[in-house]
Every structure is written in C-alpha cells, then in structure tokens.
Amino acid sequence: MTDVLTLDGVSAGYGPFHALFDVSLAVAPGEAVALLGANGVGKTTVARVASGLVAPERGQVRVEGADLTGAAPHRFVRAGVAHATEGRSVFASLNVEENLRLSFRRALGARGVAGALDQAFEQFPALARRRAQLAGDLSGGEQRMLSMARVLVEAPKLLIADELSLGLAPIIVDEIYAQLERLRAEGTALLIVEQHVSHALALCDRVLLLEHGTIIWEGPPADAADRVVARIFEHGEAG
Amino acid sequence: MVLAASFVEDLVRGTLQGLPPGAVYGLIAIGFVLAYKTSGVFNLAFGAQAYVSAALYFQARNEWGWSNLAAFVLAVVVVAPAIGLVLERLIFRHLPPGSSLAKLVIAIGLSVALPNLFELIVGFEPVAGRTPEGLLPNGAGVFYDPLGLYSFSRDELTALVVAVLGAAALAALFRFTAIGLQMRAVVESPRMTELNGIRADRVSAFSWALSSFFAGLAGVLIAPRFNTLSAPDFFNLVVVAIAAAAIGKLVSLPRALAGGLGLGVAIAIIDTFLPRIVERQQWLEPIQENVTPAVPFIVLFALVTLWPELRSSKEQTDPLAGVDPPPPTPAALTRSPWLTRITIVFAVCFFLVAGLVVFLRADASWLFVVTQAVILSTIYLSITVLTGFAGQISLCQGAFAAIGGFTVFQLADRFGMSVLVGAVVGACIAAAVSALLALPLVRLGRVWVAIATLAFAAFFDAVVVKLPFVGGGGTSLLQGTRVPRPVIGPWDLADDKAFLVLAVLVFAVAAYVVSAVKTGTVGRTLAALRGSEVASRSIGISPTRARVTAFAISGFLAGLGGAMLSIQQKNVNYASNFAPFAALFWLVLVVSLGARTVEGAAYAGASFSLMDRIIFQGTFIGWILRSEDRIPGVFPLSPKWRFVLFGLTTIAFAKHPEGLVENGKRNAHVRMAKLSARRDAHREPSADDAVPGEAVA
Ligand SMILES: Nc1ncnc2c1ncn2[C@@H]1O[C@H](COP(=O)(O)OP(=O)(O)OP(=O)(O)O)[C@@H](O)[C@H]1O
Ligand SMILES: [Mg+2]
C-alpha cells in the first residue's frame, strides 16, 4: 500500500534561514507517528512542508504517491491532508458557524453543510452555545475544539496536528486526545508534533526524533521514552 | 408658522438635493470599502480606476460611436475588472501580508500611473468642454419631481438607484454566499483559507475584479457631474469617499453608503441655509462659498484624529504570518563608508561639470528647467526627512510648499517686503503649520497619517487657497499671483544665471541641514522608531517630539522650496505646481528613487524637470548620435510616460524601500565585493548560508 505522506530528502527553510536538512519520512495509512524534539529544531517546519505551506528547496513531497512538491496548500487538502497549525488555527474575524461553514462547504458541497453543522455541534456542545460568537473571542481550548470540529466531519487521510495541547488544561487535553483516538479508529493517519510527550507516546505507533533539522532517531514508542527525555533535556541545557 | 413651514420645506428640499451627489459618494465609498475589506489595500488608486472606466466609456461612445450599452460593457464589465485582475496578479499578490505601508505607496503610484497609461494607450485627451454623458439616453435632460420640491435628473436617479442596489447586493453577497465568506476569510489569512481547501488566489482575484467593477461603475455614473473628465477630480472624489467610508469604520458597506448620503445631504443643507445666516452675520461671508466643498475633508480629518476606534478596527493579524521569511535588513542601515565616499566624489564631479556646461552653454529655457530641478530637489528634501527618516507618508507637502509661495506673494504684494525675507517667513509659517498638524497625527499609524494629511491637502486646496489673504481671492483671478525677483545689493537676481546660483546655495544649505538631522539625535531617534516603536518606547524614547520635529523641518524645507519656486516662476502658479494631485507625484518620485538620502531627492528633482527635456524629447539620443536629424522617429515621447514610469516603479517599494538609486548602488557594490572575494581563494562560503544554530539565535 502506498504511504499517505512521503518526504524524500527534503531540505527547506525561510529565505536565508535553513531549517531542515535532508529529511526523509513516510507515514503509512492509518499509522500514528509522533514527531518529537526540542524547541526550534524544525518540527513545525516539517509539518508545514507536509501540508504545502512551506515549499521545499530540495527533495520531494508525495501524498498517496502523487508528487505535490511545490504545490499550493489547497491541493494537499484536496488530496486528503488536514493540518491543524500551531497556535490559533481558526479565523478570528469569522464567527464559529462561519468557520465551520467555510470548510464544510468546500468539502461537502452546499447540500452537506447543514447536516455537517448539526453533527459538529452535537459533538461539541460548547461550540453550539457560541455559534454566533467571533472565533477570535473564544478561549484557547474552544478554538482547538473548533479546529478539531472542522476536521472530524469528514475524516482526512492524514491529520497533521501541531502542538494541539499547548497551553490547555489537562481535561481538555484528554478530550482532544480522545478525539484523535477516534479519528485514528476511522482510519486516519496521524502526524503529531507534541511537547506533551507522554500523551503522544501513548497514542503513536512510531516516533521520529528531530534535532537541528535532521531526523536522528526513529523507533517504537517504548524505546523512545528514555531517549526522548534525555535528548530534549540535553539539548535544552546546552541551548 | 409660515416661517416654520418654509423652513421644513427648505430642509426637505436640501435633503433631496443632497441625495444624488451623496449616492455618488456612497457608491465610491462602497467600492473602496469592498477593496479594503477583501484585499486589505487602502486603494487610493480607486479614483484612477474609476477615471479609466469613465474616460473609456466616453471615448467609446463619443469618439468611436459605440452604443451606450456596448460602451458600458466594454468600460465597466470588461475593462474595469480586467484592470483589477491585472493589478492583483502582477502586483498585490506578491506583497507579503501586513505590508500596509508598501501597499499604500503602490496605490499612490498607481493613482499617478494608471490615468496616464490609459490616456497613452487609448489616445484619450481630457479636453475642456466635452461634457461626459450618463448611461441612459438624455440623462441630463429628463427630470422627475416626485414631491414637487426638487427635480431629479435621470442621471441622478440612476446613480441613486444603482448605489442602493449595489450596497444591498454586496451586503447580501458577504452574508449569504460561499464566495462572500471565502472573501472574508482570505482577508484574514490567505494561507489558512488554503488549508481549508480553498484556492486563495482565485478568491482574491475575484475580490479584485469585483471591487474594480464597482470602481468602473462608479466612474461611469459619476462622470456626468463633471464638465470635463480629469484624473485629479476623480482622485479628489476618492478622498470624499474615504470620508464616507470612515463613517462606516471602513468595513461596513451599508454604513459607507449611509455615510456618503449623509455627506451629500449635509453639504446641500449647509448650502441652503448658510447664505441666510451670512445675510445677518456679515463676517461669515469669506467662508461661505468655501465651507461646502470642505465638509468631507473636515469630517475625514476629524474622524481620523478624534475617533480612536476607527484606527483600532485594523485587520486581524494573520496567524500564519510566521511562515514568511523575515524581511531583509534595509540597505540604508548597512551602507558601507566606501559607498558614501564614492557617491560624494561622483556628485561633486558631476555638479562641477554640469554646472559649467549649464553656465556656459545653456539658453534661457534650459536654465529654467535646471533651476527648477534644483529648487524641486530642495522641496523633495522635505520628503526625505519625513518619509525617509521618520517613515511617515505625508500627502500634503504641496500645501506646505504653497504656503511658502503664497507668503512671499502676499508679503511682497501688500507690504512690498523683500521676497527673500518673505521666503524665510513663509518657510517658518509652513513649519509651524506642519508642526501643529503633526501634533494630533504622530500617534496614529502610518496609513492614517497619510489619510489625514491627504484630507488636509484637500482642505487646503478647497478652502484655504481661496481665502483672499492666502491665494489673493478675486484679484488673483485677474492678475495672477505675481512674485518679483529679488535684488541683493549689487546682485540682481532677475538674471536667471544669478538666480540659479542662489537656488544652488539654498539647496546646498538644505542638504547640509538634512544630513545633519540624519546623523543627529533626532535622526537616530527616528531611525530607532522606524525599527520598532514598541521597543523604542520601552527604553524611554518619546516618539512625539522627534516626529513633530521631523514634521516641522519638513514643513520648513517645503515652504522654503515653494517660495523659491514661486520666485523663480515669478508667480505662485498654485494649480500647476502645488495642487494635491501634482504633489502626489513628488512623493512617488522621491520614494521610487530614494527617500533616505540627499542624492535621492536630487535625482528626483532632476527627473521631474529634466527627464522630459533630455530623454523624452530625444535630446540625449541626439547627443549620442551627434546629430539631431538621426533621432529615431519614436521621439519625442509623451511626457506622460514619466508618470507611468515612476508610478510603476513604486511597486519596487515593497522589496526595496530604500529606492532605486540606493538599491542599484548597493547591488553594484555587492557585486564588486563578490568579485574581489572570489579572487581571495581562502574565503569561507558566503554568509548567506546560515546554519540553523544561527537561525535559532
Ligand atoms: N518565518 C521564519 N523565518 C525565519 N526563520 C524561521 C521562521 N520560522 C521558523 N524559523 C526558524 O526555523 C527553525 C525551525 O523552526 P520550527 O518552528 O520548525 O521549530 P519547532 O521545532 O516547531 O519549534 P517549537 O517547538 O518552538 O515550536 C527555527 O530555528 C526557527 O527560528
Ligand atoms: Mg513548532
């Protein structure tokens, strides 16, 4: 079976800054992969390359075998890649319902919107109560729920989740991970960038460890625990 | 009772009379808001786009003999959106999000470039007396008088109906349709819209096409209100429309329409009642005629300076802005001392040679343009201080220069005062006005400073110039605003060569002052503020004082230059020298060529007055070929190309805010440095290849 996502020898950066060096990775259908590393090593950049936000300078990006190197992000989305970005990932100037409409309309057509809205509000009653509120005025946790609600209605082939749990109360983190679990059960592959190492390790099949823009280790979560903690601490103290 | 009844009747009549022009303001305001909402661009070029459609409609109908409908389809349905698409595709798509200043500068450049480019391509000439006609046949000749109080012409009613329908249709589009939602999403973050699977580039192209369609529609509907089609009138109309849009906080379409209607009605009512008050209060007489055209500008200025919420309704910041690479460090900060030295040597040589040639060989007309170039360079130094050093865009430098010119005229005309003293007094008055104006402005964001100064320029143009103690009032219509040449002891400056020497001296002093300002405390404070206002404040730098000083110096230089220009031309010539639209081109020139250096101002001055003579008329080619007869047939080129050329070079502002000259020199310098580095075999790889370790730091 072809992998959902393949990065092949990817180097990428921002103008004169080089952030990734010859990164290769693959995510199989339904697989959950955790991408771990200290601050500033390039995790977010990998996520951005995988969703088309950053075009690689060298190397190839394939989604289900189709070469999408240098393509605009909407083509990644249409190929089945969803990306919940780091930080705020909802439109602050649109209200909750409009945020949802925007993606449902594209994904499901005009007919499907109403049903999808009902379904989303059923799943997240907190959002239903705020459907006319500007998304910018939602709390951090509610914003994450909103971006999850957008993804959940039509399960993508791959969800890239970048620091979904950052700054959230433990209960909400648990809830979000429960949602991820559900998605996975429906067959969605996951690429998870996380600082809450324990949650990620519990969920994932495989761990990639990133340092200085290159993948330095790859293996099962069981072996990863000690290693990850050691690497991150070492790096943190050195840097 | 009778009195009250007639009062009500007048009020209603005034209101009805104000609705048609109000609808026109509202229509442009709607288009403007649409552009602002959907592209984040403060599109001052909107007036230029409206002008192009209006003129094309006129040309197709009257010159090419097309039917109304065909001309409308061409001008409004085809060409207007096409212009928007081209602008989006070639220019605005490539600007990084958040570069609002660059977008503003480019829009200003386009305001200058588009009308001229259109006139060149189509061969359209704005000729006085060729009155534009409306969409419907006999629009100015058929009247309707539903209430028996005021008769609307068919043109007026058309504009009214289209404005209301347009606002309603757009509001519905935004609220209820998928594309409307997508347009709003793209404004906030094109990338996040892409992550929703939507083609952001298509959506923003559609936004541009739609708002440009409205520009064209407004242009064609408005045209019948003018006797002659001219780009400056359309530009002024946009200032009025911005006032209307500001009433709706720049984002609300219905409120923009209401604002436009309100302005139109307010003006009409003032027009109805003010003359009666003036009958009883004689002292109001001088302002009576001038108040009405000034209403929108006063409203706009007041809104911008007194209504903080207007300014805080800024666009939402793009959460994915972090994907963009950091902007390159501005070149002016990293200029090497070598480059400065070479520049100075080159400039001195050039001045010696050019000066000798001019003195020995030039005839009167050459002397005139060279002197004009020197004086304009002095005025342009005022833009160097304000835009280059303080990073503020002022669109009222023409007004400051005119203050200098009019002061000289008034002092010489009324008191027989020496024009040189008058010039200094004029410069001081301009400085004072500029500083006063700056006080409420310096805390506003840069875009708002530009808008407020634009409102001031329009106000100056509509009102202040017409006051007897400024522009000379009625007498100046007959006699012009004449200014004599001075005599200093034995030195009679009526001689053009002597005056050129004076102009050079004034420029030299001004240039010295400007360089001193740059390296002095004020200049360094301004540089710090330009870098980061927040950081500067936190270390105790007060922006107010430095910026007000910059405004004052700038006003002084502009006033001085304006006075010199009036003395040179022996007349203030306000309309051709200093009107807001004319002064718009100054900013375009200086910013294109280099707003951060004295030489940038000098190049701008030279380009303004010499480019036409030397290059466009083919003289330069003639020199090179050593024969006037061999000048190729394409010459002489129209001077309009100058506006097109420099208007379009503002596009480079986004990438190179330091200007063409500085950028060119820097590139040459870098290339030289690379060449010598290549010879140096031991060198490490170039500094461009930063390792991630450095990036983190
Ligand atoms: N827009 C940008 N311009 C320049 N450099 C950038 C930009 N965005 C990120 N970088 C740099 O690229 C490198 C990788 O950044 P990235 O955001 O991928 O790190 P990360 O692993 O996600 O860090 P964190 O854990 O803090 O989120 C960092 O050194 C960062 O400074
Ligand atoms: Mg990150």
Side-chain angles (χ1 to χ4, degrees):
Chain A
M1 231 181 349
T2 43
D3 292 323
V4 214
L5 174 74
T6 318
L7 301 195
D8 203 354
V10 164
S11 298
Y14 305 88
F17 289 97
H18 295 261
L20 297 183
F21 303 88
D22 197 20
V23 168
S24 298
L25 61 86
V27 181
E31 187 188 24
V33 176
L35 186 60
L36 306 177
N39 289 121
V41 295
K43 303 182 297 290
T44 297
T45 310
V46 171
R48 285 169 177 171
V49 168
S51 70
L53 282 173
V54 168
E57 286 153 22
R58 263 193 300 276
Q60 217 185 32
V61 185
R62 289 190 298 271
V63 175
E64 295 204 304
D67 184 4
L68 287 183
T69 316
H74 71 265
R75 298 208 18 222
F76 285 75
V77 176
R78 291 174 188 194
V81 176
H83 184 180
T85 53
E86 197 177 29
R88 172 161 71 83
S89 63
V90 295
F91 290 95
S93 60
L94 306 183
N95 68 27
V96 170
E97 186 182 321
E98 287 167 336
N99 265 286
L100 293 173
R101 263 178 198 282
L102 190 70
S103 46
F104 293 167
R105 170 67 207 250
R106 206 275 318 160
L108 311 168
R111 298 255 171 72
V113 174
L117 274 178
D118 290 343
Q119 194 186 331
F121 287 138
E122 200 176 304
Q123 246 166 34
F124 296 94
L127 293 180
R129 269 175 268 133
R130 307 195 183 287
R131 66 194 285 167
Q133 188 175 329
L134 286 186
D137 300 339
L138 295 177
S139 74
E142 288 163 342
Q143 289 190 359
R144 292 304 147 75
M145 285 181 203
L146 182 53
S147 46
M148 287 300 286
R150 251 172 17 184
V151 172
L152 288 176
V153 163
E154 199 199 41
K157 296 194 174 105
L158 170 70
L159 171 65
I160 305 166
D162 194 349
E163 314 255 359
L164 262 187
S165 63
L166 193 69
L168 298 185
I171 305 179
I172 301 180
V173 176
D174 289 343
E175 186 175 333
I176 284 181
Y177 268 87
Q179 301 286 3
L180 288 179
E181 200 86 61
R182 262 218 348 253
L183 262 181
R184 207 184 146 203
E186 287 174 36
T188 296
L190 300 172
L191 179 63
I192 292 181
V193 175
E194 210 29 290
Q195 306 249 307
H196 274 256
V197 176
S198 55
H199 268 104
L201 291 182
L203 179 70
C204 291
D205 309 317
R206 193 152 57 92
V207 173
L208 303 174
L209 198 52
L210 203 64
E211 196 173 295
H212 283 322
T214 37
I215 292 176
I216 53 161
W217 186 80
E218 182 180 341
D223 298 353
D226 304 334
R227 207 177 261 275
V228 170
V229 173
R231 289 311 291 203
I232 290 178
F233 272 101
E234 252 170 51
H235 189 84
E237 272 163 27
Chain B
M1 272 325 280
V2 177
L3 194 82
S6 83
F7 175 79
V8 170
E9 199 180 307
D10 285 341
L11 201 62
V12 174
R13 181 177 300 130
T15 308
L16 292 179
Q17 191 184 349
L19 286 178
V24 164
Y25 304 151
L27 198 59
I28 316 187
I30 291 169
F32 185 84
V33 168
L34 180 64
Y36 183 68
K37 257 177 101 143
T38 56
S39 61
V41 177
F42 218 96
N43 192 6
L44 287 178
F46 204 74
Q49 289 176 256
Y51 169 73
V52 168
S53 285
L56 184 59
Y57 177 75
F58 180 88
Q59 184 83 357
R61 244 194 67 142
N62 296 32
E63 300 293 315
W64 304 335
W66 292 23
S67 72
N68 282 9
L69 183 65
F72 175 81
V73 169
L74 174 74
V76 179
V77 181
V78 177
V79 170
I83 292 176
L85 287 176
V86 168
L87 294 184
E88 194 273 341
R89 186 77 193 81
L90 297 186
I91 303 174
F92 289 99
R93 177 182 294 187
H94 307 286
L95 297 181
S99 48
S100 56
L101 188 69
K103 287 175 185 165
L104 184 74
V105 168
I106 293 173
I108 292 171
L110 290 174
S111 306
V112 173
L114 278 183
N116 286 289
L117 188 61
F118 164 77
E119 288 170 12
L120 283 166
I121 292 174
V122 176
F124 179 84
E125 281 298 329
V127 177
R130 294 200 307 177
T131 307
E133 283 160 77
L135 282 180
L136 300 182
N138 204 5
V142 180
F143 290 91
Y144 308 88
D145 190 354
L147 299 180
L149 284 172
Y150 177 80
S151 18
F152 293 101
S153 77
R154 186 180 266 183
D155 281 342
E156 285 176 338
L157 275 186
T158 316
L160 203 59
V161 170
V162 171
V164 174
L165 288 183
L170 277 180
L173 181 85
F174 274 118
R175 276 196 79 86
F176 303 118
T177 67
I179 183 75
L181 189 56
Q182 294 175 359
M183 279 157 70
R184 284 159 61 200
V186 168
V187 181
E188 184 176 331
S189 171
R191 290 206 184 83
M192 215 153 71
T193 313
E194 283 269 333
L195 287 183
N196 278 286
I198 294 155
R199 293 196 56 165
D201 52 352
R202 287 251 180 100
V203 176
S204 71
F206 177 79
S207 307
W208 271 92
L210 186 65
S211 80
S212 302
F213 167 80
F214 264 79
L217 183 64
V220 170
L221 287 171
I222 284 154
R225 303 193 69 82
F226 296 113
N227 290 326
T228 309
L229 286 172
S230 78
D233 285 337
F234 278 80
F235 182 73
N236 283 341
L237 214 53
V238 169
V239 186
V240 179
I242 297 174
I247 293 172
K249 266 188 163 187
L250 295 182
V251 289
S252 157
L253 292 167
R255 276 209 266 165
L257 178 65
L261 290 171
L263 278 179
V265 169
I267 292 173
I269 288 180
I270 293 176
D271 240 357
T272 316
F273 289 101
L274 193 63
R276 293 185 207 166
I277 301 170
V278 170
E279 265 172 33
R280 273 170 275 145
Q281 311 274 334
Q282 287 297 322
W283 57 274
L284 281 171
E285 197 165 23
I287 64 162
Q288 181 201 323
E289 292 160 33
N290 303 323
V291 161
T292 36
V295 170
F297 311 131
I298 297 172
V299 168
L300 177 58
F301 191 84
L303 286 178
V304 170
T305 51
L306 302 177
W307 194 27
E309 279 152 62
L310 174 65
R311 280 170 268 133
S312 61
S313 71
K314 273 186 302 239
E315 328 90 275
Q316 281 290 342
T317 45
D318 182 354
L320 288 178
V323 176
D324 290 306
T329 42
L333 301 180
T334 54
R335 191 185 206 194
S336 85
W338 266 105
L339 206 54
T340 310
R341 262 171 253 157
I342 295 172
T343 307
I344 291 176
V345 171
F346 181 79
V348 168
C349 294
F350 177 81
F351 266 105
L352 285 179
V353 174
L356 275 179
V357 170
V358 168
F359 255 81
L360 300 178
R361 303 279 307 270
D363 60 13
S365 76
W366 273 103
L367 265 180
F368 180 85
V369 286
V370 170
T371 312
Q372 192 188 27
V374 174
I375 295 174
L376 283 172
S377 305
T378 313
I379 298 182
Y380 294 167
L381 284 175
S382 75
I383 301 176
T384 309
V385 172
L386 207 53
T387 304
F389 300 170
Q392 306 284 333
I393 299 274
S394 154
L395 298 175
C396 62
Q397 297 304 100
F400 296 153
I403 289 176
F406 282 132
T407 308
V408 171
F409 157 67
Q410 291 286 357
L411 291 180
D413 191 52
R414 295 192 180 206
F415 308 108
M417 205 185 266
S418 153
V419 290
L420 292 179
V421 177
V424 175
V425 175
C428 290
I429 296 179
V433 172
S434 175
L436 272 180
L437 186 68
L439 279 177
L441 297 190
V442 286
R443 286 205 194 84
L444 313 183
R446 291 191 273 203
V447 172
W448 294 108
V449 171
I451 300 309
T453 50
L454 180 61
F456 177 77
F459 172 73
F460 187 87
D461 185 60
V463 178
V464 181
V465 173
K466 309 235 164 74
L467 298 176
F469 62 90
V470 178
T475 53
S476 69
L477 288 181
L478 302 174
Q479 298 161 10
T481 40
R482 266 184 258 156
V483 177
R485 285 279 178 86
V487 180
I488 310 176
W491 203 28
D492 185 357
L493 294 170
D495 175 43
D496 286 338
K497 283 183 185 168
F499 191 74
L500 173 58
V501 173
L502 178 70
V504 170
L505 284 179
V506 170
F507 173 72
V509 173
Y512 176 77
V513 170
V514 168
S515 355
V517 167
K518 184 177 188 176
T519 48
T521 321
V522 173
R524 274 181 279 146
T525 310
L526 291 173
L529 285 171
R530 219 171 50 214
S532 162
E533 177 152 351
V534 179
S536 309
R537 272 178 202 271
S538 72
I539 55 169
I541 291 177
S542 148
T544 311
R545 220 162 99 201
R547 285 198 186 134
V548 171
T549 313
F551 262 93
I553 296 172
S554 172
F556 186 90
L557 291 171
L560 186 65
M564 289 293 289
L565 198 63
S566 308
I567 299 172
Q568 188 219 355
Q569 302 184 355
K570 299 179 187 150
N571 197 324
V572 180
N573 289 333
Y574 172 79
S576 62
N577 283 334
F578 305 125
F581 195 68
L584 209 58
F585 184 53
W586 295 355
L587 184 83
V588 166
L589 261 181
V590 177
V591 166
S592 309
L593 287 168
R596 301 240 170 111
T597 53
V598 169
E599 43 163 346
Y603 278 112
S607 306
F608 188 95
S609 52
L610 296 176
M611 192 162 209
D612 189 36
R613 268 311 274 277
I614 296 182
I615 298 185
F616 289 166
Q617 310 225 343
T619 317
F620 187 66
I621 304 271
W623 287 340
I624 290 179
L625 301 177
R626 316 200 110 255
S627 147
E628 300 231 335
D629 308 328
R630 282 157 62 189
I631 297 173
V634 293
F635 293 101
L637 291 170
S638 163
K640 284 173 184 167
W641 281 111
R642 198 177 55 173
F643 298 104
V644 176
L645 186 68
F646 287 106
L648 294 182
T649 38
T650 51
I651 297 167
F653 182 83
K655 264 211 183 114
H656 304 291
E658 72 276 13
L660 283 185
V661 174
E662 190 69 25
N663 183 41
K665 278 199 316 203
R666 205 171 74 106
N667 285 348
H669 188 71
V670 167
R671 227 168 287 141
M672 298 273 286
K674 270 198 183 146
L675 270 184
S676 61
R678 206 169 293 163
R679 258 177 255 139
D680 210 355
H682 304 293
R683 285 276 305 226
E684 292 286 295
S686 80
D688 288 344
D689 306 318
V691 289
E694 282 172 47
V696 176

